[in-house]
Amino acid sequence: MIANPTRSTGEPGEFVTVVTAKDIVADNVAVVELEPAKGERLPAWTPGAHLDLVLEPDLVRQYSLCGDPEKPGSWRIGVLREAGGRGGSIHVHDRVEVGDKIRCRGPRNNFPLVTASEYVFLAGGIGITPILPMIAHCTARDRPWSLVYGGRSRGSMAFLDELAGYGDRVAVRAQDEHGHIDLAAALGEPRDGVAIYCCGPAPLIAAVEEHCTAWPDGTLHVERFRAAENVLDGEHTAFEVVCDYSDMVVGVPAGQTIVDALAEAGIEVPTSCREGTCGTCETVVLDGVPDHRDSYLSPQERATNEVMTPCCSRSLTPRLVLDL
């Protein structure tokens, strides 16, 4: 069963960083090193955290921190170039250069490492990035762990040299050599005290979710880079949003999102992904029943209807009252 432990809350700070290194470490994977601009101090972070990179005023993207949390003087991210993406990765690959200044927000941790007696890590492709600091954390504290890392080919898989230092605790499964990851072998039998962490493409996450249905509640933790399949589908009816703090009532027509309707009324809600995966727009619900269409909140959080992601979710009631 999917677990989504307590996440960091509150508005993250904004910092100016300088690109101190940029290297292509695998096919279409760039690793970027960031250090604070003069007079800045980077905040601490924990394994699983990500940054918001403000690449342009209207181009903000999230990238997992994959460096060492014990070294607060710099940040490291890995970025996969996606030709069919939304423009952020191409911007990083084609336009970001050493010496550039980049505004960052965060770090924010929506994928925190929980306490467990054993850890099983499953990563696909660029999904290795949030896992790297997790296994370093577990190693430093002598906690049992294993990692299965899959990719199309070894040439497409970043950080293999770094992972080689962990020996046989890491199983590299390039698809052109081994086929798909053998999840039954990687996971073993359901048991108590295990935390399973998975990050990667949607088919891998879906397969892991299916394998973990028999595991104890709270075992599986996932992070998605894209919205889950079909989650954004559904009927688009009109409804009203009451902004409790602003004392405004805003109509949301059938063809418009909540955040766009609010923006037209002069109420700006911070957004980034616009598909319910990053949590930037998470908003408290005071009354009404949201139509949750995100891939960010846990099933338990959706069931409470206490928060929602207005970038993509809608309403099952004629009126929603939000803490805006």
Side-chain angles (χ1 to χ4, degrees), residues 243 246-248 250 258-269 324:
C243 301
S246 305
D247 197 26
M248 292 182 63
V250 177
I258 294 175
V259 294
D260 285 341
L262 292 174
E264 288 185 1
I267 300 173
E268 295 293 334
V269 178
L324 294 170

Side-chain angles (χ1 to χ4, degrees), residues 176-197:
D176 61 354
E177 299 174 16
H178 302 280
H180 294 293
I181 294 173
D182 184 346
L183 293 178
L187 296 173
E189 293 298 319
R191 53 199 183 276
D192 293 327
V194 180
I196 300 172
Y197 278 79

Side-chain angles (χ1 to χ4, degrees), residues 298-317:
S298 70
Q300 295 88 347
E301 287 172 316
R302 293 192 196 101
T304 67
N305 290 322
E306 293 177 352
V307 294
M308 69 177 300
T309 56
C311 71
C312 64
S313 296
R314 301 188 67 78
S315 181
L316 295 174
T317 49

Side-chain angles (χ1 to χ4, degrees), residues 82-317:
E82 297 182 89
R86 295 176 293 121
S89 66
I90 292 177
H91 183 106
V92 171
H93 276 256
D94 293 353
R95 298 181 59 182
V96 169
E97 303 289 348
V98 173
D100 287 354
K101 291 184 177 180
I102 299 180
R103 288 188 295 131
C104 300
R105 296 172 187 156
R108 185 192 295 113
N109 200 338
N110 304 329
F111 194 41
L113 192 64
V114 300
T115 300
S117 58
E118 177 190 351
Y119 297 86
V120 178
F121 298 108
L122 299 162
I126 200 63
I128 189 63
T129 50
I131 302 299
L132 286 173
M134 292 184 179
I135 62 177
H137 178 93
C138 291
T139 301
R141 290 154 181 81
D142 199 28
R143 295 177 181 173
W145 64 269
S146 63
L147 165 67
V148 180
Y149 177 23
R152 295 187 309 278
S153 66
R154 286 180 177 265
S156 71
M157 300 169 71
F159 307 109
L160 289 181
D161 290 345
E162 186 173 322
L163 291 168
Y166 292 110
D168 60 7
R169 283 187 288 187
V170 175
V172 176
R173 293 292 181 263
Q175 189 173 337
D176 61 354
E177 299 174 16
H178 302 280
H180 294 293
I181 294 173
D182 184 346
L183 293 178
L187 296 173
E189 293 298 319
R191 53 199 183 276
D192 293 327
V194 180
I196 300 172
Y197 278 79
C198 179
C199 185
L204 172 63
I205 292 177
V208 173
E209 288 175 334
E210 183 176 352
H211 272 76
C212 288
T213 54
W215 284 70
D217 187 19
T219 297
L220 178 59
H221 311 260
V222 303
E223 183 167 65
R224 303 177 188 274
F225 295 135
R226 291 288 181 268
E229 187 176 2
N230 301 324
V231 73
L232 298 173
D233 298 340
E235 189 176 0
H236 286 254
T237 57
F239 55 94
E240 287 184 337
V241 168
V242 179
C243 301
D244 186 69
Y245 181 81
S246 305
D247 197 26
M248 292 182 63
V249 179
V250 177
V252 182
Q256 193 173 39
T257 64
I258 294 175
V259 294
D260 285 341
L262 292 174
E264 288 185 1
I267 300 173
E268 295 293 334
V269 178
T271 63
S272 180
C273 71
R274 291 283 182 139
E275 59 181 14
T277 59
C278 72
T280 301
C281 68
E282 182 178 344
T283 301
V284 172
V285 179
L286 300 176
D287 195 22
V289 181
D291 180 3
H292 296 288
R293 302 187 184 186
D294 65 278
S295 303
Y296 170 76
L297 299 173
S298 70
Q300 295 88 347
E301 287 172 316
R302 293 192 196 101
T304 67
N305 290 322
E306 293 177 352
V307 294
M308 69 177 300
T309 56
C311 71
C312 64
S313 296
R314 301 188 67 78
S315 181
L316 295 174
T317 49

